[in-house]
Amino acid sequence: MSETLETLLDESRTFPPSDAFRAQANINDPGIYERAAADPVKFWEEQAEALHWFERWHTALEWNRPYAKWFVGGKLNACYNCVDRHAEGPRADKIALLFEGEPGDIRKISFRELKDEVSQTANALKSLGVKKGDRVCIYMPMVAELAITMLACARIGAAHSVVFGGFSADSLAERTNDAEAKVIVTADGGWRRGHVVPLKKITDEALDLGCPTVEKVLVLNRVGEKAPEGTTMTEGRDVWWHEVVPQQSKDCPCEPMDSEDLLYILYTSGSTGKPKGIVHTTGGYLTQTTATTKWVFDLKENDVYWCTADCGWVTGHSYIVYGPLSNGATCVVFEGAPDSPDKDRFWKIVENHKVTILYTAPTAIRAFMKWGVQYPQSCDLSSLRLLGSVGEPINPEAWIWYHENIGGSRCPIVDTWWQTETGSILISPLPGLTATKPGSATQPLPGILAAIMNEEGEELYPAHRAVNEKPGEAIGGILAIKHPWPSMTRGIYGEPERFVATYWSRFKEHYFPGDGAKVDQDGYYWLLGRVDDIMLVAGHNISTMEVESALVDHHAVAEAAVIGKTHDLKGQAISAFVILKTGQESHPDMVNELKAHVAHKIGAIARPDDIFICADLPKTRSGKIMRRLLRDVAEGRALGDTTTLADPGVVNSLKNQYEDKES
Ligand code: ATP
Ligand code: MG
């Protein structure tokens, strides 16, 4: 990479919070940034006070780079904080989980009921031999019992490792073995677009591959008689949920856990290669997920909060289970897909349950744009008051579409940047304070020190700076976080060297998240895509995000992925893969029109050398574009690791089409 990242996209639209929103917001005093910056450790201690501790910590932070310990000596239980303290107070009859299955079945579980069910599940796990310190692998559909199992593990001090229910037997076996899980909790099947995903069968295949640490398999009866043929139970190993859980006592004390005890392991989504078993502990993680949920989503007592992620990803851990429930929120849990039975499914859910806060991903928003506005327009979305985005940079056009068509131009949008490794949101607007700009995650949250670095590891935009200091001109480079934060990962499970090599070797002091970023003249942060994906064109570093956003800005384009393809003269040439909106036809001049559009929008330097119009893009199971596979396609190489792809067929057919075009 050369010295800095070019900054091309210039987005000048701003959206300040309305006076009415500001007045009611949880955070509407801008002084919070200064207070936090003055003494971040003290600031995080204040946030930790919001939790229930069995014993208070004696030391707020022990920092031994790269290992942090927060709230040392403190004792607490995450399940107690998310369930019991609400079940025993005025929220006892408030709905905690509002579950909707794909076939339309609905279950409303109050905090009181949740406490009973979590306790019974915890006792069932104990009866299967699970003890404090053990690991439990959870491979379930997105049903209420998934969250219940996570909480049951936390209750008895066992760590969970949730494996997304779309993964294959190989992936499940790999993750189960890496975590050395004693028990797998699964289901006979889960619903996906009207079909049954045969989870138990896949679990059996995984066990056949060899999972020596697994002693028992607990199986939820989700699809019943629709269970695919070959769903069998192995005597002595497999037990049905309905035969062991409801019989258990509803009394199961919460294990007092050390603040630094393991809460869970979670494997990253695998956009860049072999997944990493990211480790999170209890006190710091729960402190920061609890605080950020309240600030960023402006969560209030009467909200109906819906995060559309799956609990197989960190977003489901931090912003479906731990953060919202710790705050006593009503959370929607949805099993299905946005286009089943029809493309208005999300909007029907918003209308039926009067959802007030919706948190989803750019990949979903771009799919909604592609399908057209008639779907959201056919439903009443007036209950919504705040929207969120996570997972990838959101292109400004997608942001505007979301704002207008889902948010009715009245809801603030929080674009939240964070990672499995960071545990909670680090860069995001505070909706009552921040004037948002489409495509920018805006500012580091209070208590977070984020710098922009150059290749040499020098701060181009310092982490420590006066709160209102603005750079005056845009600065592009590599994002880095300086000071430890409570929910930061405590390591890669069993791989200490990889942990240091991946995150702590690039810079001497800072944490290296692997993402490119710029700050604009106003001090707003723009995430520019992964450092590994950044293109070097004729000596200029160009971000994938900016070129993609310029393409999506064209009225006919729904989605775009851009890569740097090896080029004799320029080093790399910009190669784009473009999906058109439903109803848009390609015409002979389309490619030239799109190239000209990019050149006009962000400059001739970013004009793509070639554009390939396609029907689909390779994505991870969490919906992120895998650019490294597109580079393999464009450069005619054998495809790299495809095990984390949602649909390997997409990239194979893309490869064939691309090769036909080239020849
Ligand atoms: P792997 O690390 O295995 O390649 P992954 O990085 O996709 O997988 P996650 O931890 O789920 O796994 O994703 C975090 C990454 O997602 C971030 O590093 C960033 O690249 C991207 N990301 C998340 N939210 C945003 C956002 N709001 N804006 C821009 N990028 C985002
Ligand atoms: Mg990552």
Side-chain angles (χ1 to χ4, degrees), residues 332-348:
V332 175
V333 171
F334 174 52
E335 179 186 27
D339 55 351
S340 182
D342 205 352
K343 296 186 176 71
D344 60 0
R345 184 67 188 265
F346 271 25
W347 319 125
K348 288 232 159 87

PDB file of all heavy atoms in Angstrom, residues 332-348:
ATOM      1  N   VAL A 332     -37.775  -9.210  19.391  1.00  0.00           N
ATOM      2  CA  VAL A 332     -38.352 -10.105  18.390  1.00  0.00           C
ATOM      3  C   VAL A 332     -37.284 -11.107  17.957  1.00  0.00           C
ATOM      4  O   VAL A 332     -36.124 -10.739  17.753  1.00  0.00           O
ATOM      5  CB  VAL A 332     -38.844  -9.304  17.163  1.00  0.00           C
ATOM      6  CG1 VAL A 332     -39.346 -10.235  16.063  1.00  0.00           C
ATOM      7  CG2 VAL A 332     -39.921  -8.312  17.575  1.00  0.00           C
ATOM      8  N   VAL A 333     -37.665 -12.375  17.888  1.00  0.00           N
ATOM      9  CA  VAL A 333     -36.772 -13.417  17.367  1.00  0.00           C
ATOM     10  C   VAL A 333     -37.500 -14.037  16.182  1.00  0.00           C
ATOM     11  O   VAL A 333     -38.620 -14.542  16.333  1.00  0.00           O
ATOM     12  CB  VAL A 333     -36.497 -14.486  18.447  1.00  0.00           C
ATOM     13  CG1 VAL A 333     -35.749 -15.681  17.854  1.00  0.00           C
ATOM     14  CG2 VAL A 333     -35.706 -13.890  19.612  1.00  0.00           C
ATOM     15  N   PHE A 334     -36.890 -13.965  15.004  1.00  0.00           N
ATOM     16  CA  PHE A 334     -37.557 -14.459  13.799  1.00  0.00           C
ATOM     17  C   PHE A 334     -36.733 -15.569  13.161  1.00  0.00           C
ATOM     18  O   PHE A 334     -35.542 -15.431  12.956  1.00  0.00           O
ATOM     19  CB  PHE A 334     -37.763 -13.293  12.815  1.00  0.00           C
ATOM     20  CG  PHE A 334     -38.316 -13.719  11.480  1.00  0.00           C
ATOM     21  CD1 PHE A 334     -39.471 -14.495  11.400  1.00  0.00           C
ATOM     22  CD2 PHE A 334     -37.687 -13.335  10.301  1.00  0.00           C
ATOM     23  CE1 PHE A 334     -39.972 -14.893  10.164  1.00  0.00           C
ATOM     24  CE2 PHE A 334     -38.185 -13.726   9.063  1.00  0.00           C
ATOM     25  CZ  PHE A 334     -39.334 -14.507   8.998  1.00  0.00           C
ATOM     26  N   GLU A 335     -37.410 -16.662  12.858  1.00  0.00           N
ATOM     27  CA  GLU A 335     -36.706 -17.844  12.360  1.00  0.00           C
ATOM     28  C   GLU A 335     -36.379 -17.781  10.870  1.00  0.00           C
ATOM     29  O   GLU A 335     -35.414 -18.390  10.421  1.00  0.00           O
ATOM     30  CB  GLU A 335     -37.581 -19.100  12.603  1.00  0.00           C
ATOM     31  CG  GLU A 335     -36.968 -20.388  12.102  1.00  0.00           C
ATOM     32  CD  GLU A 335     -37.924 -21.581  12.239  1.00  0.00           C
ATOM     33  OE1 GLU A 335     -39.141 -21.368  12.233  1.00  0.00           O
ATOM     34  OE2 GLU A 335     -37.434 -22.709  12.363  1.00  0.00           O
ATOM     35  N   GLY A 336     -37.183 -17.061  10.108  1.00  0.00           N
ATOM     36  CA  GLY A 336     -37.180 -17.297   8.663  1.00  0.00           C
ATOM     37  C   GLY A 336     -36.374 -16.325   7.829  1.00  0.00           C
ATOM     38  O   GLY A 336     -35.503 -15.624   8.300  1.00  0.00           O
ATOM     39  N   ALA A 337     -36.688 -16.304   6.547  1.00  0.00           N
ATOM     40  CA  ALA A 337     -36.007 -15.483   5.554  1.00  0.00           C
ATOM     41  C   ALA A 337     -36.897 -14.299   5.168  1.00  0.00           C
ATOM     42  O   ALA A 337     -38.122 -14.374   5.286  1.00  0.00           O
ATOM     43  CB  ALA A 337     -35.705 -16.332   4.329  1.00  0.00           C
ATOM     44  N   PRO A 338     -36.300 -13.207   4.672  1.00  0.00           N
ATOM     45  CA  PRO A 338     -37.093 -12.006   4.349  1.00  0.00           C
ATOM     46  C   PRO A 338     -38.021 -12.181   3.152  1.00  0.00           C
ATOM     47  O   PRO A 338     -38.925 -11.379   2.953  1.00  0.00           O
ATOM     48  CB  PRO A 338     -36.038 -10.937   4.051  1.00  0.00           C
ATOM     49  CG  PRO A 338     -34.760 -11.652   3.864  1.00  0.00           C
ATOM     50  CD  PRO A 338     -34.857 -12.975   4.556  1.00  0.00           C
ATOM     51  N   ASP A 339     -37.819 -13.224   2.350  1.00  0.00           N
ATOM     52  CA  ASP A 339     -38.629 -13.375   1.135  1.00  0.00           C
ATOM     53  C   ASP A 339     -39.508 -14.618   1.191  1.00  0.00           C
ATOM     54  O   ASP A 339     -39.869 -15.172   0.153  1.00  0.00           O
ATOM     55  CB  ASP A 339     -37.726 -13.406  -0.102  1.00  0.00           C
ATOM     56  CG  ASP A 339     -36.654 -14.481  -0.003  1.00  0.00           C
ATOM     57  OD1 ASP A 339     -36.503 -15.085   1.087  1.00  0.00           O
ATOM     58  OD2 ASP A 339     -35.966 -14.720  -1.013  1.00  0.00           O
ATOM     59  N   SER A 340     -39.849 -15.058   2.385  1.00  0.00           N
ATOM     60  CA  SER A 340     -40.683 -16.257   2.470  1.00  0.00           C
ATOM     61  C   SER A 340     -41.812 -16.045   3.471  1.00  0.00           C
ATOM     62  O   SER A 340     -41.547 -15.673   4.611  1.00  0.00           O
ATOM     63  CB  SER A 340     -39.812 -17.439   2.904  1.00  0.00           C
ATOM     64  OG  SER A 340     -40.573 -18.608   2.956  1.00  0.00           O
ATOM     65  N   PRO A 341     -43.067 -16.282   3.139  1.00  0.00           N
ATOM     66  CA  PRO A 341     -43.526 -16.729   1.826  1.00  0.00           C
ATOM     67  C   PRO A 341     -43.395 -15.678   0.737  1.00  0.00           C
ATOM     68  O   PRO A 341     -43.396 -16.036  -0.440  1.00  0.00           O
ATOM     69  CB  PRO A 341     -45.006 -17.067   2.068  1.00  0.00           C
ATOM     70  CG  PRO A 341     -45.405 -16.224   3.228  1.00  0.00           C
ATOM     71  CD  PRO A 341     -44.167 -16.092   4.083  1.00  0.00           C
ATOM     72  N   ASP A 342     -43.334 -14.376   1.094  1.00  0.00           N
ATOM     73  CA  ASP A 342     -43.191 -13.378   0.038  1.00  0.00           C
ATOM     74  C   ASP A 342     -42.190 -12.318   0.479  1.00  0.00           C
ATOM     75  O   ASP A 342     -41.754 -12.294   1.623  1.00  0.00           O
ATOM     76  CB  ASP A 342     -44.549 -12.750  -0.297  1.00  0.00           C
ATOM     77  CG  ASP A 342     -44.572 -12.197  -1.722  1.00  0.00           C
ATOM     78  OD1 ASP A 342     -43.506 -12.159  -2.373  1.00  0.00           O
ATOM     79  OD2 ASP A 342     -45.664 -11.800  -2.174  1.00  0.00           O
ATOM     80  N   LYS A 343     -41.887 -11.387  -0.438  1.00  0.00           N
ATOM     81  CA  LYS A 343     -40.819 -10.426  -0.175  1.00  0.00           C
ATOM     82  C   LYS A 343     -41.226  -9.308   0.789  1.00  0.00           C
ATOM     83  O   LYS A 343     -40.480  -8.361   0.997  1.00  0.00           O
ATOM     84  CB  LYS A 343     -40.331  -9.843  -1.507  1.00  0.00           C
ATOM     85  CG  LYS A 343     -39.703 -10.902  -2.420  1.00  0.00           C
ATOM     86  CD  LYS A 343     -39.112 -10.271  -3.665  1.00  0.00           C
ATOM     87  CE  LYS A 343     -38.396 -11.291  -4.542  1.00  0.00           C
ATOM     88  NZ  LYS A 343     -39.337 -12.223  -5.217  1.00  0.00           N
ATOM     89  N   ASP A 344     -42.417  -9.430   1.347  1.00  0.00           N
ATOM     90  CA  ASP A 344     -42.854  -8.424   2.324  1.00  0.00           C
ATOM     91  C   ASP A 344     -42.809  -8.973   3.759  1.00  0.00           C
ATOM     92  O   ASP A 344     -43.360  -8.369   4.669  1.00  0.00           O
ATOM     93  CB  ASP A 344     -44.281  -7.958   2.000  1.00  0.00           C
ATOM     94  CG  ASP A 344     -45.267  -9.118   2.029  1.00  0.00           C
ATOM     95  OD1 ASP A 344     -44.857 -10.277   2.295  1.00  0.00           O
ATOM     96  OD2 ASP A 344     -46.457  -8.868   1.756  1.00  0.00           O
ATOM     97  N   ARG A 345     -42.154 -10.112   3.950  1.00  0.00           N
ATOM     98  CA  ARG A 345     -42.238 -10.769   5.257  1.00  0.00           C
ATOM     99  C   ARG A 345     -41.765  -9.858   6.410  1.00  0.00           C
ATOM    100  O   ARG A 345     -42.418  -9.768   7.449  1.00  0.00           O
ATOM    101  CB  ARG A 345     -41.414 -12.066   5.258  1.00  0.00           C
ATOM    102  CG  ARG A 345     -41.517 -12.876   6.559  1.00  0.00           C
ATOM    103  CD  ARG A 345     -42.926 -13.425   6.732  1.00  0.00           C
ATOM    104  NE  ARG A 345     -43.141 -14.048   8.024  1.00  0.00           N
ATOM    105  CZ  ARG A 345     -43.021 -15.350   8.281  1.00  0.00           C
ATOM    106  NH1 ARG A 345     -42.675 -16.179   7.320  1.00  0.00           N
ATOM    107  NH2 ARG A 345     -43.252 -15.821   9.481  1.00  0.00           N
ATOM    108  N   PHE A 346     -40.627  -9.188   6.212  1.00  0.00           N
ATOM    109  CA  PHE A 346     -40.122  -8.315   7.281  1.00  0.00           C
ATOM    110  C   PHE A 346     -41.155  -7.233   7.624  1.00  0.00           C
ATOM    111  O   PHE A 346     -41.372  -6.908   8.783  1.00  0.00           O
ATOM    112  CB  PHE A 346     -38.825  -7.627   6.837  1.00  0.00           C
ATOM    113  CG  PHE A 346     -37.568  -8.405   7.150  1.00  0.00           C
ATOM    114  CD1 PHE A 346     -37.593  -9.788   7.293  1.00  0.00           C
ATOM    115  CD2 PHE A 346     -36.354  -7.745   7.301  1.00  0.00           C
ATOM    116  CE1 PHE A 346     -36.426 -10.500   7.570  1.00  0.00           C
ATOM    117  CE2 PHE A 346     -35.185  -8.448   7.584  1.00  0.00           C
ATOM    118  CZ  PHE A 346     -35.221  -9.816   7.711  1.00  0.00           C
ATOM    119  N   TRP A 347     -41.769  -6.689   6.581  1.00  0.00           N
ATOM    120  CA  TRP A 347     -42.661  -5.540   6.791  1.00  0.00           C
ATOM    121  C   TRP A 347     -43.958  -5.976   7.466  1.00  0.00           C
ATOM    122  O   TRP A 347     -44.545  -5.234   8.237  1.00  0.00           O
ATOM    123  CB  TRP A 347     -42.863  -4.783   5.469  1.00  0.00           C
ATOM    124  CG  TRP A 347     -41.545  -4.698   4.752  1.00  0.00           C
ATOM    125  CD1 TRP A 347     -41.260  -5.105   3.486  1.00  0.00           C
ATOM    126  CD2 TRP A 347     -40.287  -4.246   5.304  1.00  0.00           C
ATOM    127  NE1 TRP A 347     -39.924  -4.946   3.221  1.00  0.00           N
ATOM    128  CE2 TRP A 347     -39.305  -4.425   4.314  1.00  0.00           C
ATOM    129  CE3 TRP A 347     -39.900  -3.716   6.534  1.00  0.00           C
ATOM    130  CZ2 TRP A 347     -37.957  -4.093   4.509  1.00  0.00           C
ATOM    131  CZ3 TRP A 347     -38.568  -3.392   6.748  1.00  0.00           C
ATOM    132  CH2 TRP A 347     -37.614  -3.567   5.744  1.00  0.00           C
ATOM    133  N   LYS A 348     -44.370  -7.212   7.168  1.00  0.00           N
ATOM    134  CA  LYS A 348     -45.533  -7.773   7.874  1.00  0.00           C
ATOM    135  C   LYS A 348     -45.209  -7.943   9.354  1.00  0.00           C
ATOM    136  O   LYS A 348     -46.061  -7.718  10.220  1.00  0.00           O
ATOM    137  CB  LYS A 348     -45.895  -9.138   7.264  1.00  0.00           C
ATOM    138  CG  LYS A 348     -46.519  -9.029   5.876  1.00  0.00           C
ATOM    139  CD  LYS A 348     -47.828  -9.819   5.857  1.00  0.00           C
ATOM    140  CE  LYS A 348     -48.758  -9.362   4.738  1.00  0.00           C
ATOM    141  NZ  LYS A 348     -48.481 -10.067   3.481  1.00  0.00           N
TER     142      LYS A 348
END
